[in-house]
């Protein structure tokens, strides 16, 4: 490839980057995608740990921009496993002939706005210098692995894995003593499978998490047929829900129904499985007393499932239900009934160090052959912070965001003209079904770029006033809920030193409405040059 000047450069070849490329090409624009990995798929390219799968039903965790694609693709399970989602991403790349404009094995190191020429220059790990009018960050919300800085990390004689950077050839834990640090979604999916292989599995838990059963299984042909008969209607109904998913919230309060009725509603949702449980009552994420009823219900389920009372107690979460991302499991709690699984509490006494032999906690040594770090991600801002992004006047994005990310609509940030973020902080992103949210952003950005072309605008930049007002609004909404009350990655609390700011926007329908209003009013809140 010799061309170095494009209409747009897109960083990342996950679902966001793939669709962005397709969309811009359809408008006759020149674009190139730059991707660190050697293939497409983003999350599903990197997270190949055992048990990895989506926890939003596959029939909705998929693109809708092509009616043919969504009709023709068949998901084999209710929640597709990682290899199938990766196959799907590859299928999309081939079907829409995307690969010829994707440069793999290429990490973007810096992105600099040129004040004189009103364009962006990107420098890459392969030594390329590429220029474009628009720079679109499709770098992912959960793509920058969080690896705690444990003492002695490099001294371990065995092998250390991170769930978010799993070896492509897979890992066979047979005959090994394995330790896993973390009990978030990635750990909860992988623990039951690793436990089946390992001689012994030691789980190091800092915070117990709530998990509801997936009840995964082969795709029900009747459900698939019914949804495909009216896919557009299915999508539209989901888009009208707060999370943009098929979870319909029961508008009753958990506190106004009788205890028996409440338990029955929880039980019904538990039987359906997955994230539907979150919608059992309308006030679960707003009212602590209502929330406590859901927490009690899950804790009772844990006690019923885990035979050893001390282990059950340790596994029972004490924080607000749903405040950290709800996990969806297959046999997670029952796994603790196995003789070869033990749970170590690292909440009060943290991991002291990694040693050549294993892990030490409070002076106690746990001899291990392999360590799995299921320690999550520097979410929402991590991948952006790793790129040296400089806006107008050379201002580094990391300086501007030193006290937390500031955006207008999660799409752009003042002082960084022509820079867009797909599912950036300040948009529903991780509190929604992410593929429709990605599609919404891609289409909004494409429309905006088209508007600029049609109106001869060289740059677009949000005004500071509109950005400040949006940041305030995001916080205002968050503060009406219980979300900011625990140490979640939504707040940046999982990464030492990261500013604690609630990053996603709560509520898909009002957000989509606001974005449409902004565009329809000539991109109000933005300035053009
Ligand atoms: P990503 O898929 O993260 O892709 C970003 C890409 O950018 C990566 O390939 C990365 O290598 C590349 N990149 C980043 N920085 C650079 C750079 N400097 N230079 C070059 N390339 C770069 N969401 C749901 O809605 N439902 C689910 O069930 C669900 N399950 C998930 C399960 C796991 C294990 C994880 C980790 C996340 C899950 N998510 C889920 C969230 C998921 O991240 C999104 O659904 C979606 O896949 C994000 O797509 P994306 O293209 O925005 O980002
Ligand atoms: P996560 O939810 O952030 O969980 C990380 C775990 O590591 C937490 O239990 C955390 O404890 C622990 N941890 C971090 N640092 C630690 C330390 N220094 N010592 C001990 N423990 C430490 O990360 P994740 O499980 O990878 O999931 C991230 C997100 O990706 C999810 O919330 C979800 O949005 C998405 N995801 C979805 C699925 C799915 O089911 N489809 C699967 C995987 C991931 P604390 O809680 O105390 O911080």
């Amino acid at each position: 490839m010799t061309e170095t000047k494009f209409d747009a450069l897109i960083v990342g070849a996950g679902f966001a980057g793939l669709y962005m490329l397709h969309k811009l090409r359809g408008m006759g624009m020149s674009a190139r995608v730059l991707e660190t990995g050697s293939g497409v798929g983003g999350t599903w390219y990197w997270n190949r740990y055992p048990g990895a799968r989506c926890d939003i039903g596959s029939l909705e965790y998929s693109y809708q921009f092509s009616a043919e694609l969504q009709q023709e693709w068949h998901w084999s399970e209710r929640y597709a496993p990682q290899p199938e989602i990766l196959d799907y991403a590859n299928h999309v790349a081939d079907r829409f002939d995307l690969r010829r404009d994707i440069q793999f094995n290429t990490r973007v190191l810096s992105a600099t706005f040129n004040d004189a020429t009103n364009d962006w220059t990107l420098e890459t790990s392969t030594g390329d210098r590429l220029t474009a009018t628009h720079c679109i960050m499709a770098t992912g919300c959960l793509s920058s692995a969080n690896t705690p800085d444990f003492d002695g990390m490099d001294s371990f004689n065995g092998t250390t894995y991170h769930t978010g950077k799993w070896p492509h050839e897979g890992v066979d834990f047979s005959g090994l003593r394995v330790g896993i640090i973390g009990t978030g979604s990635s750990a909860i999916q992988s623990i039951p499978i690793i436990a089946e292989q390992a001689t012994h599995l030691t789980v190091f838990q800092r915070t117990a998490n709530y998990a509801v059963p997936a009840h995964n299984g082969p795709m029900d042909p009747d459900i698939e047929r019914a949804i495909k008969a009216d896919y557009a209607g299915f999508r539209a109904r989901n888009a009208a829900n707060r999370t943009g998913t098929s979870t319909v919230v029961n508008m009753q309060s958990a506190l106004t129904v009788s205890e028996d009725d409440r338990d029955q509603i929880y039980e019904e949702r538990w039987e359906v499985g997955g994230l539907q449980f979150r919608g059992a009552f309308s006030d679960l994420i707003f009212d602590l007393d209502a929330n406590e009823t859901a927490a009690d219900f899950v804790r009772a389920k844990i006690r019923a499932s885990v035979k050893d009372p001390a282990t059950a107690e340790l596994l029972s979460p004490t924080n607000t239900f749903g405040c950290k991302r709800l996990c969806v499991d297959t046999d997670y709690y029952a796994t603790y009934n196995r003789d070869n699984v033990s749970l170590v509490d690292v909440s009060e006494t943290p991991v002291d160090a990694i040693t050549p032999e294993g892990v030490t906690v409070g002076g106690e040594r746990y001899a291990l052959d392999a360590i799995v770090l299921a320690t999550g991600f520097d979410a929402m801002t991590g991948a952006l912070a790793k790129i040296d992004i400089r806006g107008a006047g050379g201002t580094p994005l990391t300086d501007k965001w030193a006290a937390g990310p500031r955006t207008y609509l999660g799409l752009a940030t003042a002082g960084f003209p022509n820079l867009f973020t797909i599912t950036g902080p300040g948009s529903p992103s991780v509190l929604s079904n992410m593929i429709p949210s990605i599609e919404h952003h891609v289409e909004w950005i494409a429309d905006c770029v088209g508007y600029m072309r049609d109106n001869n605008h060289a740059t677009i930049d949000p005004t500071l006033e509109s950005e400040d007002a949006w940041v305030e609004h995001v916080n205002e909404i968050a503060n009406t809920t219980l979300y900011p009350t625990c140490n979640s990655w939504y707040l940046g609390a999982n990464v030492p030193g990261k500013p604690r700011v609630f990053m996603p926007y709560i509520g898909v329908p009002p957000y989509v409405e606001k974005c449409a209003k902004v565009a329809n009013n000539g991109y109000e809140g933005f300035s053009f040059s």
Side-chain angles (χ1 to χ4, degrees):
M1 292 194 220
T2 50
E3 193 181 0
T4 55
K5 170 85 202 205
F6 299 86
D7 290 322
L9 284 165
I10 301 163
V11 188
F15 285 121
L18 290 178
Y19 183 39
M20 194 73 242
L21 172 62
H22 176 64
K23 194 75 194 163
L24 291 178
R25 259 208 212 150
M27 296 164 65
M29 291 195 160
S30 62
R32 183 181 290 179
V33 176
L34 305 166
E35 166 58 54
T36 305
S38 62
V40 301
T43 288
W44 307 100
Y45 169 92
W46 296 106
N47 290 262
R48 301 177 189 230
Y49 61 82
R53 61 179 69 248
C54 55
D55 62 1
I56 288 185
S58 305
L59 283 161
E60 53 183 306
Y61 185 68
S62 47
Y63 286 125
Q64 59 191 302
F65 71 81
S66 161
E68 295 77 22
L69 171 68
Q70 69 176 0
Q71 282 299 332
E72 289 165 20
W73 186 265
H74 167 69
W75 296 104
S76 67
E77 295 177 46
R78 177 178 174 186
Y79 301 106
Q82 171 271 329
E84 194 167 311
I85 305 176
L86 186 57
D87 283 351
Y88 174 75
N90 276 295
H91 171 78
V92 169
D94 292 334
R95 185 177 182 130
F96 298 100
D97 186 24
L98 300 177
R99 288 181 208 279
R100 65 186 157 88
D101 287 322
I102 306 176
Q103 193 172 320
F104 293 110
N105 304 306
T106 304
R107 173 178 282 284
V108 173
L109 304 174
S110 68
T112 310
F113 183 70
N114 314 304
D115 296 291
T117 46
N118 283 331
D119 54 17
W120 284 87
T121 298
L122 274 58
E123 292 183 326
T124 72
S125 56
T126 46
D128 293 307
R129 253 176 89 84
L130 307 166
T131 303
T133 309
H134 301 282
C135 176
I136 303 173
M137 294 298 181
T139 43
C141 294
L142 296 160
S143 56
S144 177
N146 171 41
T147 304
D149 189 16
F150 295 120
D151 274 356
M153 188 76 118
D154 296 334
S155 68
F156 183 50
N157 284 336
T159 314
T160 305
Y161 305 94
H162 191 291
T163 50
K165 291 190 284 190
W166 204 258
H168 289 200
E169 63 280 11
V171 182
D172 181 2
F173 290 109
S174 305
L176 302 182
R177 296 162 302 173
V178 182
I180 183 165
I181 302 179
T183 49
S185 299
S186 302
I188 281 174
Q189 286 186 328
S190 54
I191 282 168
I193 300 171
I194 298 175
E196 282 173 11
Q197 295 174 4
T199 313
H200 192 90
L201 175 64
T202 309
V203 179
F204 299 91
Q205 172 185 274
R206 187 164 70 180
T207 309
N209 252 315
Y210 295 91
V212 292
H215 299 312
N216 188 34
M219 177 60 70
D220 180 331
D222 291 336
I223 292 179
E224 182 176 4
R225 212 173 299 117
I227 287 176
K228 285 188 172 175
D230 178 26
Y231 228 135
F234 175 68
R235 298 289 195 177
R237 287 189 296 281
N238 297 347
N241 293 329
R242 188 169 68 213
T243 54
T245 68
S246 60
T247 296
V248 177
V249 178
N250 167 18
M251 289 319 287
Q252 287 174 296
S253 158
L255 303 175
T256 55
V257 293
S258 71
E259 214 175 311
D260 283 353
D261 287 352
R262 191 163 61 214
D263 278 350
Q264 193 190 328
I265 289 170
Y266 281 138
E267 197 62 54
E268 282 164 5
R269 295 259 174 170
W270 191 265
E271 278 315 306
V272 171
L275 298 172
Q276 292 288 339
F277 190 81
R278 284 193 301 203
F281 295 99
S282 64
D283 48 356
L284 296 185
I285 203 63
F286 296 101
D287 183 297
L288 206 48
D289 291 333
N291 189 283
E292 196 56 18
T293 66
D296 278 345
F297 182 88
V298 180
R299 287 191 285 255
K301 288 287 185 191
I302 296 170
R303 284 194 296 275
S305 174
V306 179
K307 288 184 187 139
D308 173 45
T311 305
E313 184 61 28
L314 209 50
L315 286 169
S316 295
T318 50
N319 56 14
T320 312
F321 167 82
C323 180
K324 288 187 183 226
R325 171 65 150 72
L326 183 60
C327 302
V328 175
D329 80 287
T330 297
D331 299 332
Y332 175 62
Y333 293 117
T335 295
Y336 290 91
N337 295 330
R338 297 176 64 104
D339 292 337
N340 70 333
V341 175
S342 48
L343 182 63
V344 176
D345 179 9
V346 295
S347 61
E348 308 265 300
T349 314
V351 170
D352 299 329
I354 310 283
T355 66
E357 290 77 34
V359 169
T360 56
V361 177
E364 180 119 5
R365 291 158 185 258
Y366 297 88
L368 302 169
D369 303 306
I371 297 174
V372 175
L373 299 173
T375 45
F377 301 90
D378 182 352
M380 307 209 66
T381 55
L384 293 170
K386 280 186 177 163
I387 304 172
D388 183 6
I389 302 175
R390 289 175 189 251
T395 305
L397 184 69
T398 44
D399 280 8
K400 179 176 174 184
W401 286 9
R406 303 190 71 77
T407 72
Y408 182 39
L409 305 173
L411 279 159
T413 184
F416 294 75
N418 295 0
L419 179 79
F420 295 99
T421 46
I422 302 180
T423 64
S427 74
S429 57
V430 293
L431 286 180
S432 70
N433 176 359
M434 285 208 66
I435 298 188
S437 286
I438 284 169
E439 288 183 306
H440 170 250
H441 268 191
V442 166
E443 287 163 15
W444 193 97
I445 293 167
D447 286 349
C448 178
V449 165
Y451 175 88
M452 289 174 68
R453 182 176 61 179
D454 295 347
N455 291 280
N456 284 320
H457 292 311
T459 62
I460 182 169
D461 197 9
T463 64
L464 258 183
E465 299 71 47
S466 57
E467 177 173 289
D468 289 347
W470 184 251
V471 171
E472 200 182 316
H473 177 59
V474 172
N475 283 297
E476 213 172 66
I477 302 273
N479 290 334
T480 64
T481 73
L482 298 170
Y483 275 118
T485 62
C486 66
N487 292 332
S488 71
W489 58 256
Y490 298 135
L491 271 170
N494 63 327
V495 176
K498 192 168 172 173
R500 295 205 178 188
V501 174
F502 192 78
M503 293 181 280
Y505 180 80
I506 301 165
V508 170
Y511 175 79
V512 170
E513 201 177 303
K514 167 76 179 173
C515 290
K517 188 168 160 259
V518 165
N520 292 337
N521 290 343
Y523 295 90
E524 67 184 6
F526 287 95
S527 64
F528 291 101
S529 76

